Amino acid sequence: MSQYRAIRGMVDVLPDETPLWQMLEQTARDVLAAHGYAEIRTPIVESTELFARSIGEVTDIVEKEMYSFPDRNDESLSLRPEGTASTVRAAVQHNLVQSPQRVWYMGPMFRYERPQKGRQRQFHQLGVETFGVAGPEQDAELLLMCRQWWTRLGINDVLTLELNTIGSPEARASYKAALTEYLRDHFDSLDEDSQRRLDTNPLRILDSKSTSTQSILDGAPSMADYLDEESKSHHERLCQLLDMAGLAYTINPRLVRGLDYYNKTVFEWTTDQLGAQATVCGGGRYDMMVNQFGGKATPASGFAAGLERLVLLMQTLNLDAASNPDLYIVSSNENAFGQAMLEADRIRAEFPGLGVVQHLGGGSFKSQFKRADKSGAAWAMVFGDEEMVSGKVTLKPLRANEEQMTLSREELDTFLSQLEQLTNEY
Ligand code: HAM
């Protein structure tokens, strides 16, 4: 019989990788809590129309990447390709947008893209959305919060912030017209993808990777000349706040993002360490969406980070998060095993900061010690025939250059309490 395999582009995260994931997630939770953000959890499935209307009918995501299907009632549903639309839907539905809100979510998203390193069909985002603050100080807070997270992860030095403003919808419409007119004159020299986009989504051409298209763009009208005054001053104040905070950024006038709902601020955090899938986080302002979804006009701003790309980046930089047990318990026979099991249970209850793994499945001391070593534990705790007689336990160091010790239960507790303290400090 042939073996089942995971669906293409959908990836198992195996036990040796989960410590890094958990570290990443816990660090995010800590940073978010420290900034007053609360978690929101929305369903993974929503109506297809919700995504089509907000992300945009002629974006790659909606045109060709959504996992859409009719349910038994013939309503078109989709697996969420991102979290912003669902969050806005929930915020409007439950009247959360009456007062300013700061929320976050973490979980799987689905896009039918061509899988490659850093690009999957099921991937995970940590997303943050804020409602009710129109000024650039909200955008600045989001970016400073990202920096806090990057710093705690140890990746701040390899990330670059690219920033742009795409103005009001009206400003963008007149820029779009000017850009389309210019590019139409150069139609034959554009790459195929850009030729197709000229009629559907011309602003996305600014993002083209083709060098010939990019050189045509060098002579194109510039977004900056079409911006409305309000967007310009919003952008200037944001830059000023970032300067004050010493947060370096690069203005990228061609940054437009792949989703249609943005206005004013857009940004991406990129790295040169991951090859083609270089963007680890992207976001911006989307002041029209709440109103578009039937809520009272409410300014909004947010971002989402791709967790797979952050994991890859940390692995590239050898920032692995080991989670080794403190104690690995071995025992010489059935009787000793029973005693050891009770002792392990007691230690876990009294020293909850310690990781305690008991050897299961018997075997010689030699083979048990081999497993103890492989577990990465700091100490092996031995329940042998001698220990059964004396009522003491032996602790054998597996990593550090320490002495082997045989301790009474009282001495053991003193030792374990010191070990727990050390573990917590670390
Ligand atoms: P996005 O740029 O489409 O924005 O996705 C955000 C991040 O998710 C990307 O920068 C990337 O790291 C990761 N990502 C996207 N697609 C994939 C994939 N196929 N495989 C692996 N990682 C991927 C949004 O989704 C917006 N909702 C962000 C936002 C929130 N804007 C405002 N609020």
Side-chain angles (χ1 to χ4, degrees), residues 13 18 36 43 59 78 116 126 130 132 135 159 216 219 256 262 274 276 290 336 347 391 413 417:
V13 179
T18 45
T59 55
S78 295
Q116 54 176 271
L126 177 277
T130 67
L159 291 178
I216 291 169
V256 287
Y262 295 106
L274 291 182
V290 173
I347 294 173
D413 281 6
S417 124

Side-chain angles (χ1 to χ4, degrees), residues 216-237:
I216 291 169
L217 285 168
D218 288 341
S222 161
M223 182 78 196
D225 298 331
Y226 291 79
L227 286 177
D228 51 297
E229 284 310 313
E230 198 192 316
S231 296
K232 267 196 234 175
S233 58
H234 184 103
H235 182 66
E236 277 160 21
R237 175 65 179 155

Side-chain angles (χ1 to χ4, degrees), residues 84-99:
T84 308
S86 315
T87 306
V88 173
R89 197 261 316 129
V92 172
Q93 183 177 335
H94 303 287
N95 285 326
L96 301 183
V97 288
Q98 310 292 44
S99 52

Side-chain angles (χ1 to χ4, degrees), residues 86-228:
S86 315
T87 306
V88 173
R89 197 261 316 129
V92 172
Q93 183 177 335
H94 303 287
N95 285 326
L96 301 183
V97 288
Q98 310 292 44
S99 52
Q101 291 286 337
R102 296 175 162 105
V103 299
W104 64 269
Y105 48 85
M106 192 150 46
M109 308 290 160
F110 303 84
R111 297 183 192 175
Y112 194 82
E113 295 194 78
R114 201 165 48 77
Q116 54 176 271
K117 183 180 163 194
R119 197 207 269 157
Q120 297 176 187
R121 290 180 175 173
Q122 174 176 330
F123 61 99
H124 297 77
Q125 284 186 347
L126 177 277
V128 174
E129 314 294 354
T130 67
F131 302 105
V133 180
E137 64 272 25
Q138 181 65 78
D139 308 351
E141 178 179 274
L142 290 172
L143 292 167
L144 259 66
M145 188 163 73
C146 286
R147 181 174 65 171
Q148 290 264 355
W149 191 25
W150 312 146
T151 305
R152 291 196 201 185
L153 294 175
I155 56 176
N156 194 45
D157 291 349
V158 295
L159 291 178
T160 305
L161 173 61
E162 294 186 26
L163 189 63
N164 193 21
T165 175
I166 56 172
S168 65
E170 299 75 33
R172 207 159 53 257
S174 53
Y175 175 62
K176 206 166 169 175
L179 182 69
T180 309
E181 193 184 319
Y182 169 84
L183 291 176
R184 211 173 284 293
D185 290 343
H186 298 81
F187 186 84
D188 292 339
S189 326
L190 292 176
D191 64 285
E192 212 177 300
D193 221 26
S194 299
Q195 288 183 343
R196 196 177 51 77
R197 282 183 164 147
L198 190 56
D199 287 319
T200 56
N201 200 349
L203 290 182
R204 287 289 285 161
I205 296 175
L206 295 175
D207 246 7
S208 166
K209 301 271 181 295
S210 147
T211 42
S212 62
T213 299
Q214 279 297 333
S215 62
I216 291 169
L217 285 168
D218 288 341
S222 161
M223 182 78 196
D225 298 331
Y226 291 79
L227 286 177
D228 51 297

